[in-house]
Amino acid sequence: MAVATPDSPAGQIAQALVDFSVEGAFPEESVSSLTVDSDALPAAIEALASAKAKLQAEIHTINEETADDVRTWKVNAQLVQDDIILSKALANDILKQSEAPQASGKAIEEAETRAAFLARELDYNTQLRNALKGIKAVNQILDQVEQARDERRILDALHLLERSRKALDAVPVNKSCRAIKLLDIRTFELKSDVYQVFDHVWNTLIHVDIESHRVSISGVKQDEPMSLSDAVVGLKAYNEVDQRATQLWHDIDKAIFAPRLDTKQERLPSIKIDGNSLELEGTSDQSIEAVFQDLEKVFAFLVEKLPPELVETISTVLLPGLIPTMTRTWLDLAVPSSLEGMDRFQTTISTTKGFCTTLKGLGLSHLNELQEWTESAPRVWLSKRREAALDQIRTQLSRGLGASKQVERVEKQVVSKSEGQQLAANGAKVTEDDGGWDAWESDGEQQTGGQQISKPAATTSATELSADAIDDAADAWGWGEEDPEPDKVEEPQQKKQKQEGGEDDDSTEAWGWGDDAQNDDTAPEQTPTAPSASSKPQTRELTFKETYSISSLPQPVLDLISALAEDGAALTQENYADSPVAAAAAGLFSLPTLALAMFRAVAPHYYAPDVGGNMFLYNDATYLSERLAEFAEEWVKRDNISTRAQTLLRLDNDIKSMQSFANRAYSNEMSIQKTVLRDLLGGEQNLIQQDDTESCVSAAVARVRSLAIAWESILSRSAWQQAVGSLVDAVANKIIGDVMDLPGIGQDEAYNIANHIASVTALDDLFLPSRFATAEGRNFEAENEIPTTAQYASSWLRLKYLSEVLQSNLKDVRYLWLESELSLYFSADEVVDLVNLSFEDNPRTREVLREIRARPNPLG
């Protein structure tokens, strides 16, 4: 028998039978149409047997693989069957017990326990069923949210999200449950997705292009299902009304308001409204009226296009920032800094009031600051005037001292003949009346005890004057030569105490009045002052003149004070009665005080860097006080201003403060320079014991000379003499003190000290009368002239006599004390100390010391 192949008819029939038996598949038509003969049956039987064996093998394999599961299933099935049997038994027992009331108490307790258990199980199943229903409901709502999001139905999506949140809170499951957490995460993600869609729709309805300076506001969009009013509802849902409004006004400010209100730009754009858009274009008028017109158009546009909820935020968010900007950049700039332009200022006030009325008509509020500005015109104008005045002072000072100029001080003083001779010898300039001393004397002899002056005199020590100098002075003053020549000049009297009822303590302390000894750093008297006579001599009134230099700064300050006073006076006139700033008259008269206070506050900073700056400050402040005093005196005499204006200007305290300020400037400069000189001379250490004593002395002398040269072109002659004399005196005092502090002085050391003193006393050439005569263009006989250093340096002759003592033997020292003038400058104890320092202790030395002690005042 032939073997059947798969392609043979017998093989095809066998395979068709197997497929039908195993898979239930019917054969193709080509197979089913074959003729079944006896030869096909063995092949079919063999194929079926083979398929059977294969299926048995697979079943066996599956049984082996699932044997454990099957056994477990069987066990569980058995357990279930046992539970069913047990439940039936329990049910039967319960039924029997219900039918048998005589059941025992224990049986009843067991039955109650079983009933409670079943009730709990029933409640649990009920809760589980409700929880599953709630979870399903939340999940279905979130599905609806996704659908609304995709369709851009934002409000529906938000409402559904709110429903889902409530439904999720109502699910009777702990929030830590995994299912609840997953739903919560999905809710948050959907809310974020909806917000993104909402943000896109919002930006479509309200679009601000900052770079193009364009704002577009649409109530609805054709391709968007949400309107602007609906968008506001969405903002409320997200609690973003204020935040979104703030951002909107910020963007509109940068796009529209800031460029339109920028006063730094030369050309400003105008505002154009076209349908739903607002933009900048072209150029606009620079006037405040044009600005307010454009702002009115903008606010009318915003109120018309925006929902009420957003319009309310204009008053609370936009205006509080915009109005201060308007006030600072436009309204304050429109305030005139003088009475000129007052008509224009009044127009600006009216325009501002109209703008406030328009905004109120649009339903806007928070306009208090703008209304206060219009209602406080006097205060606004006065504030602007004050700022302008103070800024003018700062600006002038920041430009530097400028070119200096000489000014002349003229002052009248009653002096005696001897005082006049002394002043003439010092080179003071006077302007005589017609006729000489004798002609003036013929009118009748006048007596005076010497006139008081408002400033302290320079400290004057006894000094010798040449006969030629006094004779020349007497001739220059027109006085006869009948009086004998004085050998010495008397020390000038100290000024009297402060005037009654007036001067404050600061001025008194600044001048040093009432002190027993004059402070060397006190500001000098600017005019020459003469020593007062001890008796009642013939006197006459002379006019003193002297010049000094001031910078370019006092005149602008005086011009400013004058302008402020003139404007204040004008506001008190009837022609300004209806002016909006008429009430500021009194305040305007207070501005000079502020301007002068500003000058005193900042001037030291600008004067100090210049050479001689503090001395310029002293002169400028003095000049200001004098000119202000003249201005105040002339002010009250004017007949073209009102009585109220005359009384409102009060400069007395300012004049005193300015003079006190001048004194402090002088005192501070002298204190600084004396400190520098003291440091050059060894500071707190003994100069004589330094290794470089000679270089220290040379440096100090050079410093004094350099300051003398710098100050000579600034200070008046009298002030210069006192200032330089004070420096020289400081050097002399330092050297004298260091010499007196030495433990001993050898011969060589005494010689060296004398050389150092000689280097210092060379400064006498600064005080030669010929120096000033040459500078003033006067002829002066320079032969045998005597320097006037000692007149301005009280220790100068003391220093010279110290040098004499150091170079003298005991005999010379005895002569200097008993017969010369050493006792005028040193006490007996000081001379005794110097002798002990310089000489050995021997009988001769002790004898000289006994004589010195025996006659402590040899000149009587």
Side-chain angles (χ1 to χ4, degrees), residues 408-426:
E408 187 176 59
R409 175 183 289 104
V410 179
E411 186 172 336
K412 292 183 178 181
Q413 185 175 352
V414 177
V415 297
S416 66
K417 182 185 293 186
S418 61
E419 291 173 337
Q421 289 177 336
Q422 172 63 33
L423 290 169
N426 288 338

Side-chain angles (χ1 to χ4, degrees), residues 660-694:
S660 177
F661 174 70
N663 298 340
R664 289 197 301 273
Y666 176 88
S667 299
N668 291 340
E669 177 67 7
M670 294 305 300
S671 177
I672 291 171
Q673 298 306 332
K674 286 182 179 181
T675 301
V676 172
L677 288 174
R678 185 172 181 83
D679 291 341
L680 291 175
L681 293 174
E684 298 298 327
Q685 300 180 358
N686 195 300
L687 170 65
I688 310 304
Q689 296 176 338
Q690 300 294 315
D691 295 334
D692 55 347
T693 302
E694 183 176 356

